Amino acid sequence: MAAAPRRLGATFAAGRGTTGLIPYLTAGYPSLEASLEMMRGFDRPGVRAIEVGIPFSDPIADGPEIQRAAEWALRSRVGASETLALVAGLRRVSQLPVVVMTYANPILRHGIAAFAEAAREAGVDGILISDLPPDESPEVWAALDRAGLDTVVLVAPTSDAARLPMLVARASGFVYCLARTGVTGSGGGDATGLEERVAAVRALTALPVVIGFGIAGPSAAHALKGVADAVVVGAAFMRAVTVDPARGAVHRVQTLAGELLEALS
């Protein structure tokens, strides 16, 4: 395994004992310029990292809010290269860690080694591949390791206890526990056993544990204060954009970020 990149390790170490925020946004929604402005505004105390999604045509793990965002961005021809360029733009003004969320297809289309190196050069800290289990396609994981990128692994309510050690062993940067079954966004799915699942992960690793899926707003984030090292909020930010993509989207996103940080403080 590659050594953990400095930015992710440092931000979680600095926030040890507290629960931080990881905002998610889809690159290019409503525009690349707005995405960069949102990302710059996230660089504030309490934000551990940013998760940036590469727009994809078949986002099976995502609910309607992020699906709409991806469709919008794809119509503007935003893909893997544009997403990495967005991160590079942030790096000119901020050292806030960035995890790129993607599906396997954009990486394969880009070329595995080429994608990993381009991500490293852009200043990406970690990669989350939603539809690629850690025991499949070893060449992908090896390329990410060679580039010195963290590999964030999902632990779901349906993850078999026998697989948990393998999942955790593959993870670096942090372990991402899904709060419930189903897709991103609010409502539905099975949310039982979350604290037990977090405890099982903590028994296997000293890595930070992050919780996401279905954290619809400040009250849901507050309920996880002290349970996780950070919470990921995505669909709520995309809903804030969708209110009116042409006007006020950045302001609404930053207002929501402030409310979430207050709930976690």
Side-chain angles (χ1 to χ4, degrees), residues 8 11-12 19-25 42 46-52 96-100 128 152 173-176 208-213 215 221 228-235 237 257 260-261 264:
L8 267 175
T11 192
F12 276 104
T19 300
L21 173 66
I22 299 180
Y24 166 92
L25 57 84
F42 288 143
V47 175
R48 298 286 182 265
I50 305 170
E51 185 183 344
V52 181
L96 187 65
V98 175
V99 174
V100 167
L128 191 168
V152 176
F174 58 85
V175 179
Y176 190 146
V209 177
V210 166
I211 296 175
F213 272 50
I215 303 172
D229 297 293
V231 297
V232 179
V233 178
F237 283 112
L260 288 162
L261 287 168
L264 293 167

Side-chain angles (χ1 to χ4, degrees), residues 82-98:
E82 292 74 19
T83 302
L84 297 182
L86 178 64
V87 178
L90 178 69
R91 281 289 161 259
R92 289 192 281 271
V93 295
S94 172
Q95 293 302 303
L96 187 65
V98 175

Side-chain angles (χ1 to χ4, degrees), residues 20 27 37 95 109 111 115 184 217 243 257:
E37 193 173 349
Q95 293 302 303
R109 289 187 63 187
F115 176 86
T184 58
V243 169

Side-chain angles (χ1 to χ4, degrees), residues 181-228:
T181 58
V183 296
T184 58
S186 60
D190 179 7
T192 60
L194 177 59
E195 293 199 21
E196 292 82 357
R197 189 158 60 256
V198 170
V201 170
R202 291 199 189 279
L204 294 170
T205 181
L207 287 173
V209 177
V210 166
I211 296 175
F213 272 50
I215 303 172
S219 61
H222 180 76
L224 295 171
K225 181 180 176 182
V227 178

